[in-house]
């Protein structure tokens, strides 16, 4: 599998020190041509965008077909903190995906207990969503 990662600042240096193929680039303003990659995979990334709709549109410009995303569930991570600008519930995410040109193919909500004292109480932890570019 051939891949390219993008990051900013110290994250680029750390990744390149581990011999990862990472380029210094803002994921909302990619320096790639249209339809450059088959798949964009973004795990715990979109919540760091102050403008997630524009970021999803940019990913649609660069991807030929697919977008796989893993996002933090606000029930677990909360809506603020951790350098998060746009933590959303599943309904909000699916709305942004739809209006930015993506069709949800598959979704899953990963659940975890909030703490070891309440193992029977589960909260959404992550949203996993596979998307196809609309034609």
């Amino acid at each position: 599998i051939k891949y390219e990662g993008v990051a900013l600042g110290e994250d680029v240096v750390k990744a390149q020190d581990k011999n990862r193929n990472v380029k210094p680039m803002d994921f909302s303003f990619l320096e790639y041509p249209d339809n450059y990659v088959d798949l964009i995979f973004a795990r715990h990334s979109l919540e760091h965008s102050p403008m997630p709709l524009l970021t999803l549109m940019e990913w649609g410009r660069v991807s030929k077909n697919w977008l796989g995303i893993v996002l933090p569930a606000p029930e677990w991570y909360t809506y603020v903190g951790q350098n998060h600008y746009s933590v959303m519930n599943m309904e909000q995410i699916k709305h942004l995906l739809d209006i930015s040109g993506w069709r949800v193919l598959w979704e899953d909500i990963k659940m975890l207990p909030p703490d070891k004292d309440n193992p029977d109480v589960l909260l959404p932890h992550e949203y996993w969503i596979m998307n196809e570019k609309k034609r």
Side-chain angles (χ1 to χ4, degrees), residues 39-87:
L39 164 73
I40 290 179
F41 177 73
R43 184 176 188 278
H44 285 263
S45 301
L46 188 62
E47 66 273 14
H48 297 281
S49 174
M51 48 193 173
L53 176 60
L54 295 180
T55 301
L56 289 168
M57 292 168 69
E58 175 69 352
W59 294 352
R61 181 189 69 77
V62 173
S63 175
K64 293 176 191 171
N65 295 304
W66 315 107
L67 169 65
I69 54 176
V70 178
L71 301 163
E75 297 87 349
W76 182 272
Y77 288 90
T78 73
Y79 283 96
V80 297
Q82 302 179 48
N83 197 23
H84 290 171
Y85 300 106
S86 50
V87 177

Side-chain angles (χ1 to χ4, degrees), residues 82-118:
Q82 302 179 48
N83 197 23
H84 290 171
Y85 300 106
S86 50
V87 177
M88 297 168 275
N89 63 38
M90 184 65 92
E91 183 179 359
Q92 292 168 305
I93 293 162
K94 288 170 65 173
H95 176 68
L96 285 186
L97 287 164
D98 179 50
I99 63 176
S100 63
W102 295 101
R103 178 181 304 104
V104 174
L105 297 175
W106 172 88
E107 64 186 80
D108 191 18
I109 299 175
K110 304 297 183 185
M111 308 289 280
L112 287 176
D115 57 55
K116 63 183 178 212
D117 296 328
N118 297 308

Side-chain angles (χ1 to χ4, degrees), residues 12-29:
V12 176
V13 175
K14 288 178 184 177
Q16 290 175 345
D17 285 348
K18 294 179 180 179
N19 294 317
R20 303 288 192 256
N21 185 15
V22 174
K23 309 239 181 315
M25 208 178 307
D26 186 322
F27 66 38
S28 295
F29 305 99

